[in-house]
Amino acid sequence: MEDAFSRMQALAAQLNEASRAYYQENRELMSDREYDARYEQLQRLEEETGIVLSISPTSFVGYEVVSQLPKVRHTAPMLSLDKTKEVARLKEFLGEQKGILSWKLDGLTIVLTYEGGNLERAVTRGNGLEGEVVTANAKTFANLPRRIPFLGHLVLRGEAVITYPDFQKMNESMPEEESRYKNPRNLCAGSVRQLNSAVTAQRNVRLMAFALIEAEENGVPLALDNSNEARLLWLKKQGFEIVPYRMVTANRGQEAGCLDVETAVAAFEDAIQSFEIPSDGLVLLMDDAAYGESLGRTSKFPRNAIAFKWKDETAATFLRSIHWSPSRTGLINPVAVFDPVELEGTTVSRASVHNLSIMEELELGIGDEITVYKANMVIPQIAQNRTRSSRMTIPSCCPVCKGATAVRKVNEVKLLYCTNPDCQAKKIKSFELFVSRDAMNIDGISTATIEKWIDAGFVREYADFFSLDRYRESIVEMEGFGEKSYENMIQSAERARHTTLPRLLYSLGIAGIGLANARSICKWFGSDLNAIRNASEEELTAIDGIGPVLAASIADYFSRQENRDVLDRLLEVLQIELPEENTKKQVWKDHTFVITGAVHHFSNRNELKAYIEERGGKVTGSVSAKTSYLINNDTASESSKNKKARALGIPILSEEEFLKLSE
């Protein structure tokens, strides 16, 4: 199979190159006879294996252009992984288990769905709850099968990547240095999210599969081996290129055919210099799928896997200045500016110092010799100050509005604030958040545009973004705008008028409140905005995930009359889409369920989960002392979840038994 797959890739590439040369460059790389022979050979291999690559000339049907990428919610949240930089932590994590150690690829995570053997949908990870549909673009990935032998329902995850050689080739084709991409990940993300799939096709994006999520035939889960390695190899048989890995145990000689973790990590470290795909570390996954699932998850991380980050590369340099950067909340953040140094393959010259407490702790001074690193190989940070001169003056006025500053202590951390409520920097940052994707999602408005509109008096508060048609002639004449850009922006603003309460709450820029918290707050108060704006700190802290600091931030925001007035004027131009009223009897209020195995009365487990939640219940992924019932049609099975439920005295219900109790 592997030889056939490699041959198919080679044939498809040869035929496509020959077609490009013949039709676009009037060059002949092979005779018609040679072309036909290779084409027929590719067809035979496709019939034998049941695999058709996305780049195969036998299946190419043209490219697709869209006006925007639609968004869909993931069936389950896509969580990030807990991280460590210590091999000892990996050994502790594994214990007596066997694991899969693989590259942590630095690209864009994609969820792929196949139905009847054909690629039906590809969705980006997005914010973990909601992603963008990129199906047309995925069909152009260089190594992705458009058709596979398995004819059931398949969901898998993979990482879209661009290799270093392809990244270099792309950048070399750009004459202007300023227009070149900074790293392969940025190029990959931009390529996958293109509105024109023909552009994606030119970027040679590849997909490396790393997880099988669902495999069902006629609604029944496929009987796959309990090993995650076996599931990866099954994906490989379907024609997917899988992430390179090694089987490991905590200690040497613990199990035949496995390396000990320490040796495996060292081997990966040796290989990273020649590995052509960008990677920012390793991932260790429990091989025993059922055991890993039984571990459950925290609110942020699954417990069946952990990420390993390489020890940070550091470089010595000299601090030249501190740039003071105001934010939408009035907080002024210190940013260190130093002599440029090379770190993790890129040049860096700036690093956030975060707050005055850290600045004092480092005893920073202009001219000091410092060492810098990239946290998680991405974010520049100061590691150490070797000379510690403390030659630093805290500004007494805001660098933007020249208003007075004040040092405030929040949770024992010293912070610098601009005290001017009309500071332009606050407005710019607030408006940036307001129009952003997860907030009101108004396309076509950059920071530079916001600055111009503030200066011109077009926008003074949030509601003004919905009456910009009053300034049509002036906006069209602005640099960077024209008739088309203006029309697109106005149409986007019109669409944004129809929004949800969580988006609106998040868009207000209340300190510390993200979109996830906004959803929790709206759900808790039954989508009643008046209840939210009049809630006390005590009422707010009753919400899961809202602690005293966030509660105080929300209550303080709505205690200010100017904020309430701004919101009232905004509500006059918006249409809030309230969730449909739930008329279901809340028979499962305060009950927690776990669902496992195949379901028969529902199309899938997510439908059963929705049924429970509509009736007031909660569904989690793992059995614990807090679980009220385990739903499993095979009540007598010896699965890990059934065993744990029995040990804890938790009732195991079939669907029929559950539905009778729900009546």
Side-chain angles (χ1 to χ4, degrees):
M1 170 68 83
E2 193 164 344
D3 290 342
F5 187 66
S6 299
R7 182 61 181 152
M8 287 162 62
Q9 286 183 306
L11 285 169
Q14 291 166 7
L15 292 168
N16 288 336
E17 179 63 19
S19 293
R20 188 183 64 79
Y22 184 82
Y23 290 109
Q24 297 178 24
E25 301 172 6
N26 294 318
R27 291 190 300 121
E28 192 172 282
L29 297 183
M30 60 182 74
S31 67
D32 288 349
R33 184 174 179 178
E34 287 175 309
Y35 184 94
D36 291 343
R38 295 183 192 193
Y39 190 94
E40 288 169 9
Q41 186 183 359
L42 177 60
Q43 280 184 314
R44 280 197 305 275
L45 287 169
E46 289 175 345
E47 288 169 7
E48 289 170 11
T49 62
I51 298 168
V52 178
L53 295 172
S54 59
I55 59 168
S56 172
T58 68
S59 67
F60 180 72
V61 291
Y63 300 117
E64 182 178 320
V65 179
V66 296
S67 59
Q68 64 179 19
L69 296 173
K71 296 181 180 65
V72 295
R73 289 187 67 81
H74 296 298
T75 54
M78 294 183 65
L79 305 177
S80 55
L81 295 179
D82 198 4
K83 301 174 182 67
T84 183
K85 294 181 181 178
E86 303 299 330
V87 175
R89 174 73 182 93
L90 296 183
K91 295 171 75 169
E92 179 190 342
F93 170 82
L94 260 190
E96 298 300 313
Q97 293 292 317
K98 184 168 66 170
I100 302 172
L101 190 66
S102 64
W103 294 109
K104 185 175 183 295
L105 302 178
D106 193 17
L108 196 67
T109 300
I110 306 287
V111 184
L112 298 163
T113 302
Y114 284 75
E115 298 287 356
N118 296 310
L119 175 61
E120 183 180 84
R121 192 163 73 175
V123 182
T124 65
R125 180 185 185 278
N127 60 14
L129 297 172
E130 182 183 72
E132 292 174 312
V133 178
V134 291
T135 312
N137 296 341
K139 288 178 179 178
T140 72
F141 290 179
N143 65 336
L144 185 68
R146 188 176 292 190
R147 191 169 72 234
I148 60 175
F150 178 63
L151 301 180
H153 166 76
L154 173 65
V155 180
L156 68 143
R157 290 177 188 168
E159 196 80 356
V161 294
I162 289 179
T163 65
Y164 284 116
D166 287 331
F167 169 71
Q168 181 119 12
K169 194 184 300 180
M170 175 69 69
N171 264 357
E172 286 171 355
S173 69
M174 297 180 173
E176 297 296 326
E177 193 168 334
E178 293 78 9
S179 63
R180 292 178 182 173
Y181 292 90
K182 301 298 181 189
N183 54 58
R185 189 194 183 285
N186 286 0
L187 174 59
C188 181
S191 301
V192 172
R193 298 179 63 250
Q194 280 289 327
L195 298 180
N196 184 348
S197 61
V199 177
T200 310
Q202 298 167 5
R203 305 288 176 81
N204 207 25
V205 180
R206 307 181 71 81
L207 193 286
M208 308 293 288
F210 61 77
L212 189 158
I213 306 303
E214 294 174 15
E216 297 177 348
E217 284 184 307
N218 300 317
V220 178
L222 200 63
L224 292 170
D225 194 289
N226 185 45
S227 159
N228 276 317
E229 182 191 24
R231 296 179 182 189
L232 267 181
L233 294 175
W234 184 83
L235 286 175
K236 190 175 182 180
K237 284 183 180 178
Q238 302 306 312
F240 298 98
E241 191 169 356
I242 61 175
V243 60
Y245 69 90
R246 292 176 183 265
M247 298 306 295
V248 296
T249 52
N251 300 303
R252 190 167 299 177
Q254 192 172 329
E255 186 162 338
C258 293
L259 287 175
D260 63 281
V261 170
E262 200 161 355
T263 302
V265 169
F268 275 106
E269 196 165 3
D270 289 341
I272 198 166
Q273 298 303 323
S274 58
F275 191 51
E276 291 191 340
I277 300 173
S279 167
D280 57 355
L282 305 172
V283 172
L284 179 58
L285 170 71
M286 295 288 185
D287 184 48
D288 187 322
Y291 175 77
E293 189 178 330
S294 73
L295 297 174
R297 62 185 63 183
T298 69
S299 60
K300 293 184 179 179
F301 312 120
R303 290 196 174 103
N304 67 337
I306 189 171
F308 174 80
K309 295 291 195 173
W310 309 111
K311 289 276 177 82
D312 298 309
E313 177 187 342
T314 61
T317 184
F318 291 92
L319 182 66
R320 296 307 177 194
S321 66
I322 291 288
H323 171 74
W324 298 92
S325 175
S327 71
R328 61 184 170 80
T329 61
L331 178 64
I332 303 176
N333 298 299
V335 179
V337 181
F338 44 81
D339 292 338
V341 290
E342 288 289 320
L343 280 177
E344 313 289 358
T346 61
T347 303
V348 295
S349 59
R350 297 162 70 91
S352 175
V353 187
H354 301 294
N355 55 60
L356 298 185
S357 292
I358 292 176
M359 214 168 82
E360 290 178 358
E361 193 177 303
L362 288 168
E363 298 180 61
L364 289 178
I366 304 304
D368 281 349
E369 184 181 359
I370 59 175
T371 58
V372 293
Y373 71 102
K374 279 189 177 179
N376 295 327
M377 299 178 79
V378 177
I379 305 166
Q381 304 278 305
I382 296 176
Q384 178 185 18
N385 182 5
R386 291 177 175 171
T387 45
R388 309 182 80 87
S389 70
S390 294
R391 290 193 297 266
M392 192 63 63
T393 303
I394 297 171
S396 57
C397 61
C398 172
V400 173
C401 71
K402 308 307 176 188
T405 62
V407 176
R408 298 173 188 164
K409 213 167 188 179
V410 180
N411 290 336
E412 300 305 311
V413 174
K414 285 185 183 178
L415 303 170
L416 184 66
Y417 282 89
C418 170
T419 60
N420 177 12
D422 297 316
C423 177
Q424 189 184 36
K426 292 182 185 179
K427 288 185 178 180
I428 292 169
K429 299 292 184 182
S430 295
F431 291 160
E432 278 179 347
L433 173 69
F434 183 77
V435 302
S436 67
R437 187 187 308 168
D438 288 338
M440 301 309 292
N441 194 23
I442 306 177
D443 292 331
I445 302 177
S446 67
T447 301
T449 299
I450 290 172
E451 289 175 357
K452 290 174 186 175
W453 289 349
I454 290 174
D455 290 341
F458 297 169
V459 289
R460 294 182 176 84
E461 59 180 70
Y462 299 137
D464 293 334
F465 282 96
F466 300 96
S467 57
L468 288 166
D469 53 344
R470 293 181 296 177
Y471 309 106
R472 180 185 176 283
E473 291 182 11
S474 299
I475 292 173
V476 167
E477 291 172 2
M478 282 183 171
E479 185 180 349
F481 261 86
E483 290 285 352
K484 188 174 181 181
S485 298
Y486 169 81
E487 289 298 335
N488 288 340
M489 183 271 295
I490 289 295
Q491 288 172 18
S492 182
E494 283 302 308
R495 287 193 297 271
R497 286 182 190 272
H498 304 271
T499 191
T500 63
L501 192 56
R503 279 181 175 272
L504 171 61
L505 188 60
Y506 170 60
S507 74
L508 298 176
I510 302 170
I513 300 303
L515 187 56
N517 283 333
R519 288 193 184 101
S520 299
I521 294 164
C522 294
K523 186 176 180 180
W524 181 267
F525 286 102
S527 297
D528 184 342
L529 181 55
N530 279 328
I532 295 170
R533 64 197 287 175
N534 294 311
S536 66
E537 289 185 37
E538 187 179 3
E539 289 175 298
L540 290 163
T541 52
I543 304 171
D544 187 28
I546 304 295
V549 174
L550 290 184
S553 178
I554 299 164
D556 177 65
Y557 181 89
F558 286 115
S559 70
R560 303 184 186 192
Q561 190 58 46
E562 63 268 26
N563 290 338
R564 297 170 77 93
D565 291 344
V566 165
L567 177 57
D568 286 337
R569 287 190 288 272
L570 181 56
L571 289 170
E572 290 175 7
V573 297
L574 296 180
Q575 293 181 20
I576 308 298
E577 301 166 5
L578 295 177
E580 292 181 14
E581 187 179 353
N582 185 4
T583 58
K584 306 294 183 186
K585 192 176 178 182
Q586 301 295 286
V587 292
W588 295 119
K589 188 179 180 183
D590 300 325
H591 288 74
T592 301
F593 291 81
V594 174
I595 307 167
T596 190
V599 292
H600 309 310
H601 292 272
F602 298 85
S603 59
N604 52 47
R605 286 189 294 215
N606 283 326
E607 191 174 299
L608 174 53
K609 179 184 176 184
Y611 180 93
I612 292 168
E613 290 176 343
E614 280 180 344
R615 288 154 180 79
K618 181 181 177 183
V619 179
T620 62
S622 58
V623 176
S624 71
K626 294 181 180 178
T627 304
S628 307
Y629 296 99
L630 171 65
I631 298 177
N632 186 352
N633 282 314
D634 189 357
T635 56
S637 84
E638 291 300 309
S639 69
S640 59
K641 285 183 178 175
N642 276 27
K643 286 179 181 177
K644 194 167 183 180
R646 290 191 196 105
L648 294 170
I650 294 165
I652 304 173
L653 304 177
S654 66
E655 274 179 277
E656 288 80 4
E657 291 168 330
F658 163 74
L659 289 170
K660 282 179 183 177
L661 290 174
S662 299
E663 291 174 356

